Amino acid sequence: MRAASPNPVARWSFEEMSPTIANDTISGHDDEIVGFSKRVPGASGQALRFDGYTTGIKRLAANAPRLGDAVTFESWIALQAYPWALCGIVNQADEQEVKISAHEGMIPAKDGDPAMEPDPRAGYFFGIDGDGRVHLQLSLGGHWVKCRSDATIPLMKWTQIAGTYDPKAGRMAVYINGKCVGSMPANGHIDFAREVELLIGRNHQAKTHEHPIRLSPPALFGIEGYLDEVIILDGALGADEIKRDYDSIQPPRDSGMQLAKLPDVAPAPAGFGAYYTRLKFTETWDASRRDGPDSDVVVLFDDRPWKYMLWRGTNYIPHWVTEKGIWYTNEFNETWGSGALGCAEPMSDKQSRYSRVSIVESSPARVVIHWRYALADTRYVSARVDPLTGWGDWSDEYHIIYPDGIGVRKICLWSTQPREPHEFQESIVLVPPGSRPEDVLETDAVTIMNMQGQAHLYSWAEHAPDKIAQPEHANIEIINVRSIARPFLIVSDEPFELYGEKHDGPLFRPMNVEINRENSIFPWWNHWPVAQIPSDGRVATHADRMAHSSLTTGLEWKDWDNSVNSRTRVMLHGLTELPPARLVGVARSWLHAPALRGLPAGISSRGYDMSERAYLLEKATAGDAEVIGFTLDASAEHPLYHPAFIIKNWGDQPARVSVNGRERPVGPGLRTGIRRTIDGIDLIVWLDLESTAPVQLVVSPR
């Protein structure tokens, strides 16, 4: 055994400015930087920023440092987030390929060891795991030996870490800020992996993530944060020498890192409407995308600080955003198995390969957004593929948003098996880094109501609700987020049949699984949004990443329409500052809209269309606009609440509207828009009007 000689054989201080080269100041070797790179203020001088996925420094195996049996690894590190799993800082180990045990179905991670992750056979590994613990691992005498700290390093703060192996002392040890935080007996010669390239800040092979819920494919990832003064020594430093190295550098107290924030936009000068834009997130995440300046869609309101966001970071899953910046969504179509591994859903479409969004209409009167997506797993494999056509499950959703912050969500599922289990709704909130679900949600998180105004408050204080059974015949849900505006949804309260079983009204179910109350009283996952690992289920154990929580799931209600290969449902949803009881009137105005009568000759009515939240009228012939008068028979049982009207073939002439003989000025109380389609030119009218008595309306050319 060669005597330990603690001489540095490689050192990366990152003082050079090249975006593609990191210089080893000991050997003078210029090593290649792969992926994203940026110099940032370091623990001493400059550091290199790593994006958590692509960034790494590599050196060919032939040029890697030649070490004896005693070794030391040191580095200064500031983590933006803990790695998805064990991740190398200095890594020359022959990591083995991870093979998953199945390729279809919902396979819980706790059932045995679904992903066999073999140890390397040779080499060394110095790194951090998914909980921030320091690891030194070596191949000694044909055995892979692991030493790990119990302590964890903090986030967003410069920290010194080190690992040593001293064969004379028969000891491996790891250090944090100059203190030994883990050690173990160890002996033998190091079996070096001399045919493997040296990597800094990244793994050689894809690994399965830590804290999984289900079996997921492995992913290639790296350190997300800053590295500085990465050193390899040929020899084992003692504890005093590690402490000396720690004391020799006085890093800034502020690493310069900031918690990632969800995107936001300023109010649009043009007021209410839908806008294409490119929402900004973090520098590293934005740099990884391959999309242009009009990649996202935002709906803005001119008289309330709310938004409706369809962003790449959520795979375009639409979200209501409150005045406090709390994001909420009613989810999407989802299915399981049937050719897919785990969940087949747009949440799994990490690169938005299938998920697409477009603006169909945008006028002062309303906005219509079309969102199309595939039900595919994290490998982009579709569920329920038709052997005849090759088509898997797809969905088209239309989101019709009005100026009052209320919209219709029309969900059309296309499938060879549309009546097999598919999910249409789940109540989800986003949880930003630095927050837990409790920071976004009230403990009494859900209010459930029926059309009689009876309500029941469901709390997660002691435990998650076992079921949602009260009140009877409920069809209204309010999510009690920590803001003035609160998300709500309304569905049909009519009886329906599901999988051969009859139900007398909607079925609400609490999300009461996958909860670790040591971390949160609510479910808490961070595999979505923005995460790029191929996972559809990872429990959040730290508030380090963008995450989400769920309150109710699998809501079932009556179909709006269906065919042999499709199934359509509609819901009313939005944000509200109204007292819960007032939503009953909103629900009645949508589910039991007042009858329309008294139209003049040449004008026909298709009645009230819940999927448009509008009355549909049509002129018999296109051409000049004409006076159209009619009565809406509003009552307490059939109230009028912010009605909308679509008049087909109106033409492009501006309109005036009178209510009970008084003309309404165009403005907040009256919004009109012109819709041009391949079939003609239509008028859209929206009124800020409430009534429980009959109302006479006249629409005429201006």
Side-chain angles (χ1 to χ4, degrees):
M1 183 180 296
R2 191 174 71 180
S5 177
N7 297 317
V9 294
R11 181 172 190 153
W12 295 268
S13 297
F14 307 113
E15 299 304 322
E16 67 285 331
M17 296 303 296
S18 170
T20 59
I21 295 297
N23 179 255
D24 172 2
T25 59
I26 301 297
S27 69
H29 198 281
D30 286 336
D31 296 309
E32 180 186 1
I33 301 174
V34 296
F36 174 92
S37 74
K38 182 181 180 180
R39 296 304 193 284
V40 294
S44 174
Q46 293 191 124
L48 188 67
R49 184 174 188 178
F50 291 66
D51 69 359
Y53 297 101
T54 67
T55 314
I57 301 169
K58 66 179 183 179
R59 181 181 294 187
L60 295 177
N63 299 323
R66 297 289 170 165
L67 302 172
D69 285 328
V71 293
T72 299
F73 305 96
E74 291 183 298
S75 179
W76 283 85
I77 185 170
L79 283 177
Q80 183 76 49
Y82 294 121
W84 294 110
L86 188 63
C87 181
I89 294 173
V90 181
N91 179 2
Q92 194 184 14
D94 67 337
E95 297 173 346
Q96 303 299 298
E97 180 183 359
V98 176
K99 297 181 179 180
I100 58 177
S101 58
H103 297 277
E104 180 178 356
M106 299 282 284
I107 304 170
K110 64 183 179 182
D111 288 352
D113 186 9
M116 301 303 294
E117 192 159 322
D119 289 331
R121 292 169 297 194
Y124 55 81
F125 179 99
F126 174 60
I128 299 287
D129 68 18
D131 292 308
R133 296 173 296 199
V134 182
H135 287 247
L136 176 61
Q137 302 183 4
L138 302 170
S139 179
L140 298 176
H143 300 283
W144 191 251
V145 182
K146 306 175 184 179
C147 180
R148 189 202 74 188
S149 70
D150 291 324
T152 64
I153 69 172
L155 293 169
M156 300 174 57
K157 184 177 181 180
W158 280 113
T159 304
Q160 186 227 33
I161 59 174
T164 65
Y165 170 53
D166 186 346
K168 283 189 174 181
R171 183 172 177 265
M172 289 171 65
V174 290
Y175 297 79
I176 296 177
N177 287 340
K179 296 180 180 179
C180 182
V181 290
S183 65
M184 62 176 292
N187 289 283
H189 297 285
I190 299 176
D191 306 312
F192 290 100
R194 301 204 185 275
E195 303 302 316
V196 176
E197 67 182 9
L198 174 66
L199 271 182
I200 306 295
R202 196 164 182 256
N203 290 330
H204 284 282
Q205 293 279 0
K207 291 180 175 288
T208 52
H209 61 77
E210 295 172 5
H211 310 300
I213 295 169
R214 285 175 291 277
L215 175 65
S216 295
L220 196 59
F221 51 83
I223 294 295
E224 184 173 352
Y226 306 162
L227 290 182
D228 197 5
E229 299 300 332
V230 180
I231 306 172
I232 303 175
L233 296 100
D234 184 19
L237 293 180
D240 291 344
E241 294 168 302
I242 297 288
K243 180 66 163 56
R244 177 202 64 200
D245 287 354
Y246 167 68
D247 290 337
S248 69
I249 292 179
Q250 300 296 319
R253 297 184 65 179
D254 184 358
S255 66
M257 289 182 174
Q258 295 181 340
L259 292 170
K261 296 181 179 180
L262 285 162
D264 197 7
V265 292
F272 171 74
Y275 302 89
Y276 285 109
T277 186
R278 191 175 193 266
L279 296 169
K280 293 182 179 180
F281 184 49
T282 66
E283 181 182 28
T284 53
W285 191 88
D286 290 344
S288 73
R289 307 298 295 183
R290 297 191 176 185
D291 37 45
D294 299 316
S295 302
D296 305 310
V297 171
V298 176
V299 179
L300 300 176
F301 301 87
D302 52 15
D303 60 352
R304 39 181 57 85
W306 307 342
K307 303 174 184 72
Y308 199 60
M309 308 278 251
L310 298 98
W311 173 45
R312 294 156 293 139
T314 63
N315 312 355
Y316 296 117
I317 296 165
H319 283 73
W320 293 100
V321 183
T322 76
E323 84 286 349
K324 294 290 188 180
I326 295 173
W327 289 47
Y328 169 85
T329 182
N330 281 307
E331 207 211 22
F332 36 76
N333 278 143
E334 175 183 350
T335 193
W336 311 270
S338 302
L341 178 64
C343 301
E345 57 185 3
M347 193 181 278
S348 296
D349 186 2
K350 304 295 183 174
Q351 295 179 345
S352 298
R353 295 185 188 180
Y354 302 136
S355 187
R356 294 288 183 270
V357 63
S358 60
I359 300 172
V360 179
E361 291 179 33
S362 182
S363 76
R366 74 172 190 175
V367 161
V368 180
I369 305 295
H370 177 212
W371 176 37
R372 179 170 169 80
Y373 55 89
L375 278 64
D377 66 17
T378 58
R379 305 166 304 163
Y380 302 98
V381 174
S382 294
R384 305 183 189 279
V385 174
D386 185 341
L388 294 178
T389 66
W391 279 95
D393 283 5
W394 284 78
S395 292
D396 283 298
E397 295 201 18
Y398 286 88
H399 294 249
I400 303 172
I401 312 297
Y402 287 94
D404 57 358
I406 298 177
V408 175
R409 177 181 170 222
K410 183 178 182 180
I411 317 124
C412 179
L413 166 71
W414 301 98
S415 176
T416 307
Q417 301 169 311
R419 271 153 288 283
E420 290 299 309
H422 289 83
E423 190 168 73
F424 280 75
Q425 195 277 337
E426 185 174 325
S427 301
I428 297 172
V429 292
L430 299 192
V431 183
S435 302
R436 283 176 159 73
E438 289 84 342
D439 298 315
V440 177
L441 295 163
E442 301 283 358
T443 303
D444 300 333
V446 174
T447 302
I448 301 292
M449 296 179 58
N450 62 20
M451 295 295 286
Q452 287 70 49
Q454 298 169 327
H456 190 86
L457 191 63
Y458 287 87
S459 176
W460 273 250
E462 299 298 326
H463 56 79
D466 296 324
K467 59 182 179 179
I468 294 179
Q470 297 296 326
E472 294 183 344
H473 307 295
N475 67 320
I476 302 170
E477 178 181 58
I478 304 168
I479 304 300
N480 298 319
V481 296
R482 294 185 181 273
S483 66
I484 297 173
R486 300 194 169 193
F488 74 92
L489 68 87
I490 300 168
V491 296
S492 169
D493 61 342
E494 295 182 23
F496 68 102
E497 184 174 317
L498 181 69
Y499 311 135
E501 184 177 348
K502 294 183 178 180
H503 302 275
D504 58 6
L507 299 177
F508 289 88
R509 301 183 179 100
M511 176 58 82
N512 54 15
V513 297
E514 300 174 6
I515 298 175
N516 181 348
R517 292 183 70 89
E518 293 182 0
N519 296 323
S520 174
I521 63 174
F522 299 103
W524 189 23
W525 310 276
N526 60 15
H527 58 276
W528 175 89
V530 306
Q532 294 301 293
I533 59 169
S535 170
D536 65 7
R538 185 180 191 265
V539 174
T541 56
H542 306 279
D544 59 336
R545 294 184 179 275
M546 200 63 70
H548 68 283
S549 184
S550 175
L551 297 164
T552 62
T553 184
L555 171 62
E556 300 284 2
W557 72 101
K558 185 180 179 181
D559 290 347
W560 172 254
D561 193 14
N562 56 67
S563 69
V564 173
N565 65 349
S566 71
R567 187 173 168 201
T568 302
R569 286 176 168 175
V570 296
M571 68 164 56
L572 196 70
H573 65 154
L575 295 174
T576 185
E577 297 177 359
L578 296 173
R582 288 282 306 279
L583 285 178
V584 174
V586 176
R588 286 178 179 161
S589 74
W590 182 60
L591 296 171
H592 309 292
L596 184 151
R597 60 179 173 84
L599 285 169
I603 306 296
S604 61
S605 170
R606 289 166 48 195
Y608 184 83
D609 187 339
M610 286 171 51
S611 71
E612 298 264 14
R613 195 192 171 202
Y615 291 90
L616 306 184
L617 308 178
E618 184 171 359
K619 287 178 58 189
T621 58
D624 293 337
E626 55 190 85
V627 177
I628 302 174
F630 53 89
T631 299
L632 294 172
D633 285 328
S635 65
E637 291 300 314
H638 303 277
L640 201 61
Y641 186 86
H642 299 176
F645 308 88
I646 300 172
I647 304 176
K648 296 198 67 176
N649 296 325
W650 171 266
D652 57 7
Q653 190 166 350
R656 70 176 75 231
V657 177
S658 296
V659 179
N660 291 333
R662 293 187 177 182
E663 183 176 340
R664 278 282 183 102
V666 174
L670 168 64
R671 316 284 185 113
T672 64
I674 297 296
R675 178 177 71 181
R676 290 174 169 82
T677 73
I678 197 169
D679 298 316
I681 302 175
D682 310 326
L683 174 68
I684 313 290
V685 176
W686 178 85
L687 282 167
D688 184 356
L689 174 65
E690 300 178 43
S691 181
T692 54
V695 174
Q696 293 182 335
L697 295 175
V698 176
V699 183
S700 58
R702 183 175 293 278

